[in-house]
Amino acid sequence: MRLPALTSTANFLALASHATTARTWQMRQLFAADAQRFPKLTVDAAGLFLDYSKNRLDSRTVGLLLDLARERGVESLRDAMFAGEKINLTEQRAVLHTALRMPRGKALVVDGQDIGHDVHAVLDQIKDFTDRVRSGAWLGYTGKPITDVVNIGIGGSDLGPKMAVLALRSYSHPRLKMHFVSNVDGHDMDAALAQVNPETTLFIVASKTFTTAETMLNAGTARHWFLQSATEADLPRHFVAVSTNQQAVAAFGIDTANMFPFWDWVGGRYSVWSAIGLSLALAVGFGYFTDFLAGAHAMDEHFRTAPLEQNMPVLLAMVGFWNRQFLDAGSLSIAPYHQDLSRFPAYLQQLDMESNGKRVTRSGAVVDTPTCPVVWGECGTNAQHAYFQLLHQGTDVTPIDFIATLRATHDLAGHHDALLANCFAQSEAFMKGKTEEEARADLQALKLSEEEIATLLPHKIFPGNRPSNTILMDQLNPSALGALIALYEHKTLVQGAIWDVNSFDQWGVELGKVLAKNIQAELTGSVQPERHDSSTNGLIVMAKAAQHL
Ligand SMILES: O=P(O)(O)OC[C@H]1O[C@H](O)[C@H](O)[C@@H](O)[C@@H]1O
């Protein structure tokens, strides 16, 4: 169905008119005027709690945003996704990462195939394999148990498992050390190989397509390194593959008995739930991997059934849309107040920006509003001591998602209160800021002269009124992590529906890949690069000259 341009819709116009005043509201006043603001603008779901009260909006704004969500067909797109319709229009594919976390016994027929059955058959394969590796029954070519696992993959075949393995560090197997190699830069593989022993290392070659240049080069390097001390016959004990491409796996020389399949209806950035999560299942064990899937499924059920007014992914998405559209927020900063979530911002970058970093609508028209903001971030409190200065006093308004756990999974005294105090203080500071009067009073308390006060005063003012969300969970456990990822996945779908972009393709990554192939041929061959612009030609010539040094 062709949607009308976003800015021409009745509900967008109503919101835009509301925004002319709402965008100037002061959150301090909104909190002062309504003692019920916190209970009104918070929501619980699947073990997560979202506080979106520290945004420049009120219940009427939320009502208008939800009207827009209805008008843009958020519910029908959501239902079409869950039903397995081919909502990835440019690739004619279903989008069914949600099917990967459906409980056993639930059928979902797509193209005549019960994919619920297929998903659980692969989960059984994962259970069997991970049990054997973890127990020590799976032996390397000299009869020793596996001690190191190297996941070779990039993009969605790296970011999800790497983030989740780190996030669930405290649930990990004590013998198994996990490594992730993604970069075509040989320094990445070199560093990993320096830490492992071929006798006790398992390589997982993880690639949906099994054609991705970086992964194929890295996998070839690992194979070559392994064969320096072992034989071809030893490969099956040390190399397994995760892919949708059985032919390419066989052509690479990996026994397809050691291949964990998945399907074209799983997008790369939505694939951690599939066999791409094999490294995670190895690290935490199949039981916790199942909890991880169950946490995501709980969020799926919430997203599918909760009224929009209490629907956490919808609310998170619509608040984000409001900030992007009406506060001109060109970026979104993610601040996990949990060290083990240090890779979560990087994971969200792919999820959000590869999904919604689009400039044409599903029907090919150029969009008439900005789309996905730049997503970035770093663990609090480290971020506070690096770039929070800009967020507090810089010229742009950057919304922040604070993510924290109410309880720690360690028992070191004093740390968790200090961490939470920082998290809550930052969201308060961004919201309240510091007025001129308050800044002056602080300086007067220091008994400074009037001249000194006048000099310092402008630097001590914080404009405040800067929006943030706070997402809390009890502890960072497998289920909560599953729910958190699913929350952001569904947020992405909702925003994609509002902007009417296809959140499930990624054509924008193709051009560079093709050009890199051409340039690589020039770098390694004798052809002089004359067909590029003078900059690209010049850079290639420099690199070729350096090869002869
Ligand atoms: O899993 P693969 O087929 O190797 O793909 C790995 C990644 O590379 C591609 O270029 C896409 O941008 C990503 O969406 C994908 O996750």
Side-chain angles (χ1 to χ4, degrees):
M1 188 185 69
R2 202 185 177 99
L3 288 183
L6 176 56
T7 56
S8 70
T9 63
N11 286 302
F12 181 91
L13 294 170
L15 255 179
S17 147
H18 172 76
T20 54
T21 51
R23 60 185 295 169
T24 68
W25 287 344
Q26 291 296 317
M27 279 188 260
R28 277 193 189 217
Q29 286 163 11
L30 297 176
F31 275 99
D34 184 358
Q36 295 304 305
R37 187 169 169 84
F38 179 71
K40 273 184 198 161
L41 301 178
T42 51
V43 62
D44 272 298
L48 302 186
F49 174 82
L50 167 66
D51 171 9
Y52 59 102
S53 64
K54 290 191 181 96
N55 281 283
R56 253 182 257 176
L57 44 74
D58 68 3
S59 300
R60 178 166 148 65
T61 321
V62 175
L64 289 167
L65 286 164
L66 297 181
D67 287 345
L68 180 68
R70 287 187 189 94
E71 184 178 20
R72 297 302 274 179
V74 165
E75 292 146 300
S76 55
L77 187 67
R78 172 195 66 188
D79 295 345
M81 174 180 75
F82 279 103
E85 288 175 33
K86 295 194 169 144
I87 61 170
N88 178 354
L89 296 173
T90 59
E91 296 179 299
Q92 273 304 301
R93 287 179 181 165
V95 174
L96 274 171
H97 44 282
T98 51
L100 299 168
R101 49 233 193 185
M102 274 185 341
R104 191 181 289 274
K106 218 171 154 191
L108 178 62
V109 178
V110 174
D111 290 338
Q113 183 69 18
D114 176 6
I115 64 168
H117 172 270
D118 296 351
V119 163
H120 280 275
V122 177
L123 283 171
D124 290 342
Q125 191 191 351
I126 293 174
K127 177 177 182 339
D128 176 58
F129 177 70
T130 55
D131 282 354
R132 284 198 280 157
V133 173
R134 288 168 57 86
S135 70
W138 180 286
L139 299 175
Y141 70 96
T142 56
K144 295 178 184 162
I146 298 299
T147 57
D148 292 83
V149 177
V150 182
N151 187 84
I152 302 174
I154 197 165
S157 301
D158 167 74
L159 288 161
K162 186 172 176 178
M163 175 274 290
V165 163
L166 184 57
L168 300 180
R169 182 186 55 82
S170 48
Y171 294 82
S172 291
H173 193 288
R175 179 176 23 89
L176 291 178
K177 188 156 182 248
M178 314 305 293
H179 310 260
F180 291 85
V181 175
S182 57
N183 201 329
V184 74
D185 179 353
H187 296 106
D188 200 5
M189 181 58 86
D190 190 45
L193 293 180
Q195 296 175 53
V196 300
N197 175 348
E199 294 174 52
T200 56
T201 300
L202 176 75
F203 291 95
I204 302 174
V205 185
S207 174
K208 178 176 169 180
T209 55
F210 231 73
T211 58
T212 303
E214 294 85 343
T215 301
M216 292 303 106
L217 184 58
N218 278 325
T221 302
R223 189 176 192 273
H224 178 74
W225 173 85
F226 178 76
L227 289 177
Q228 285 173 350
S229 33
T231 67
E232 298 248 350
D234 300 323
L235 281 168
R237 295 167 185 238
H238 293 269
F239 279 78
V240 300
V242 180
S243 187
T244 59
N245 188 345
Q246 189 165 340
Q247 262 184 335
V249 169
F252 181 82
I254 292 182
D255 187 345
T256 47
N258 289 336
M259 171 179 162
F260 297 80
F262 66 114
W263 306 272
D264 73 355
W265 40 260
V266 182
R269 54 195 173 273
Y270 299 88
S271 63
V272 66
W273 323 99
S274 72
I276 289 290
L278 187 64
S279 49
L280 174 63
L282 279 166
V284 302
F286 190 74
Y288 284 135
F289 188 69
T290 308
D291 290 352
F292 173 66
L293 300 180
H297 180 68
M299 185 57 77
D300 294 342
E301 286 302 282
H302 166 79
F303 178 51
R304 206 170 58 75
T305 59
L308 299 196
E309 290 73 12
Q310 280 122 44
N311 197 308
M312 191 182 283
V314 173
L315 291 164
L316 188 64
M318 296 314 294
V319 170
F321 166 75
W322 170 255
N323 290 335
R324 176 73 181 112
Q325 181 67 38
F326 298 109
L327 298 188
D328 304 320
S331 82
L332 169 68
S333 193
I334 307 295
Y337 276 68
H338 196 304
Q339 188 60 30
D340 296 344
L341 285 174
S342 63
R343 293 290 300 169
F344 194 63
Y347 172 78
L348 281 190
Q349 286 181 320
Q350 188 199 17
L351 174 61
D352 218 7
M353 294 201 275
E354 198 170 67
S355 296
N356 286 338
K358 308 284 163 70
R359 56 177 284 285
V360 296
T361 66
R362 280 178 286 190
S363 53
V366 174
V367 294
D368 57 343
T369 64
T371 60
C372 190
V374 173
V375 178
W376 59 291
E378 181 56 73
C379 267
T381 55
N382 296 347
Q384 292 172 210
H385 295 273
Y387 53 74
F388 268 30
Q389 163 63 39
L390 177 146
L391 303 186
H392 281 292
Q393 289 187 315
T395 49
D396 287 311
V397 171
T398 303
I400 304 166
D401 284 357
F402 293 98
I403 303 170
T405 67
L406 291 171
R407 290 189 300 138
T409 35
H410 63 76
D411 52 12
L412 303 176
H415 285 267
H416 203 63
D417 284 350
L419 178 75
L420 283 185
N422 273 284
C423 177
F424 300 162
Q426 288 296 330
S427 80
E428 183 181 30
F430 281 114
M431 185 275 284
K432 285 178 81 175
K434 190 185 274 187
T435 64
E436 185 173 336
E437 296 68 44
E438 289 165 348
R440 185 186 297 283
D442 282 356
L443 292 170
Q444 281 166 343
L446 297 174
K447 307 257 182 281
L448 300 180
S449 70
E450 271 313 308
E451 199 186 336
E452 286 168 325
I453 290 177
T455 307
L456 278 176
L457 189 58
H459 303 279
K460 297 280 191 171
I461 295 167
F462 289 63
N465 212 22
R466 299 199 163 191
S468 68
N469 297 307
T470 300
I471 297 169
L472 296 178
M473 63 197 84
D474 179 36
Q475 280 189 315
L476 184 59
N477 57 35
S479 154
L481 180 68
L484 181 69
I485 301 171
L487 166 65
Y488 278 96
E489 285 179 346
H490 297 323
K491 173 202 160 179
T492 300
L493 174 132
V494 173
Q495 292 191 335
I498 302 295
W499 291 316
D500 188 24
V501 298
N502 180 3
S503 306
F504 306 105
D505 61 11
Q506 58 283 320
W507 299 107
V509 301
E510 297 302 327
L511 178 60
K513 286 186 191 174
V514 174
L515 298 190
K517 265 196 185 147
N518 298 341
I519 293 179
Q520 191 169 349
E522 290 165 358
L523 279 174
T524 47
S526 56
V527 194
Q528 282 308 310
E530 279 164 6
R531 56 209 182 94
H532 307 277
D533 56 275
S534 64
S535 160
T536 312
N537 284 337
L539 297 170
I540 296 170
V541 167
M542 282 179 73
K544 280 178 86 87
Q547 285 169 7
H548 302 297
L549 290 179

